[in-house]
Amino acid sequence: MKAAIYCRLSKEDEGKNGESESIQNQKSMLTAYAAEKGFEVYWIYSDEDYSGIDRERPAFNAMIQAASEHKFDVVLAKTQSRFTRDMELVEKYLHGKFIEWGIRFIAVVDHVDTGEAANKKSRQINGLINEWYLEDLSNNVRAVLDHKRREGLFIGSFALYGYCKAPDAKGKLVIDPEAAEVVRRIFALALSGMGAHKIAQILNNEGIPSPTAYKQLHGAQYHAAMKKTDYSLWGSPTVYQMLHNQTYIGDLVQGRHKKVGYKSKKTVWLPKSQWIVVENTHEPIIDRDTFETVQRMLAARTRSGVQGTIHPLAKKVVCGCCGSYMEQTAHQPRADGVQRRYVRCRMHQRAPERCSNKTCTDLNALENTVRERIREYAEVYVDPEKVELPQRDDPVRQRAQAKRSELKRLQCEADRRRRALQQLYLDKVSGLIDATQFSEMNRAFGEEIKSAENRIRGLEAELEQQPEETDAAPTQRQRVRELAQVSHLTRELAVLLVRRVIVGTKDPLTGQQEITIEWAF
């Protein structure tokens, strides 16, 4: 009789049972057993670094294919769990296909033998125990990973574009200067009113590598999950996701998706309320004010115009007759080459019987009206001699602010690590982690707390010795004057200040049109 030998070693087995579970040990034991029973070894199939629940094991599937072709009579494995930990596969092959194909299965150590009908129940019990083991292991691993996420440790294989893994601090992110500049530019373009598609087009035209291409150029074995034909090009979904990613302001966002179960590789996206977000874990690339402004602009997003930009009042102009949005339209250029832009009621275009406002309103004039009213408010309510604005371009102030931000981040981090040490003991008592994991994590957390405390003392000493800031009043007054002299209406300014602009119908006698602005402040 010919026998196929099957050996398997998974990552969870390594270090747990040492050499006793090694592939070489399994081969030696099963080869000796085959010789003892007088079996001729047809082939030795071996899978390394594959879980017993994995149905994509190459050697396992090759053996099953050979079995279906009746190339051997017996399958030998050290234990039933080496063959599979999946109860469904136990029933499919041990109690189904192998019987049809006339193949006998023998697990040497736990005395499983399909040639003996009496031990079928024991095989099924073994299958259930093996599957329960994997389920418990999966739950424990998930609990440990979630614990690390809540402590502000990055556990991903690859850092988010704009960052890289800190070489001297496991689970920490540091800024990648080259990629971070691209991130800053993307947010700046979004602030100017450009849509994601136009931003991606600009980056592609300038030959800037996409996040996937950038990682690959720097030696990372990275492959994007999204299905694209050309990974070297930027796409609007990539830009859009980056503009929404809170990690760029120093908050670590993880746990956005999870596997549907330990038997499946399929993942599902979780609602935002279930994401794990830890604030101030790393240095930000984008300041919070800029990020929040971009979020408001995205929330009020609309389709880009012909030039790939969104006009400042998009989705803010409404018809005074029916309350519907007024859409942009363009007329043919005049003789002097100037193209006039207009807005007209969406409802009147689609259902004239429901709205009588057929007027086309000059969009350029409308933007000028809003701009002038903003300037009027600024001149009336803002006194340049009294208002103080943050002096962002003062190097001394910038350094002090950076130190205060780092100090706050380190204090939060040290507090999280102290709480983690308390939780760590509870996890050990509850069996979520073993003694070895507890010892390693306890030591690592202790070292991180000590390092953070040393840096905190250093920053506090530096801030105490910080020279007094220079008088920034002249520059502040100049900034207020610039605000009061708005040269043109931007999308950013419209999103921040204007809730909506109500355009009334045009008076047929005077040609006048009432414009009402509802402010967002």
Side-chain angles (χ1 to χ4, degrees), residues 163 173-174 246-252 280-284 409:
Y163 289 97
L173 296 177
V174 294
Q246 192 176 338
T247 302
Y248 288 123
I249 59 174
D251 300 342
L252 193 58
N280 300 313
T281 61
H282 54 275
E283 185 179 356
R409 178 179 63 80

Side-chain angles (χ1 to χ4, degrees), residues 53 131-132 134-135 138 142 259-265:
I53 207 76
E131 187 160 327
W132 290 339
L134 272 187
E135 185 175 7
S138 174
R142 181 175 295 179
K259 286 187 176 181
V260 296
Y262 67 96
K263 284 187 176 184
S264 173
K265 294 182 179 180

Side-chain angles (χ1 to χ4, degrees), residues 47-59:
D47 282 316
E48 289 198 62
D49 293 337
Y50 284 92
S51 170
I53 207 76
D54 192 345
R55 300 189 178 195
E56 303 301 323
R57 289 173 278 162

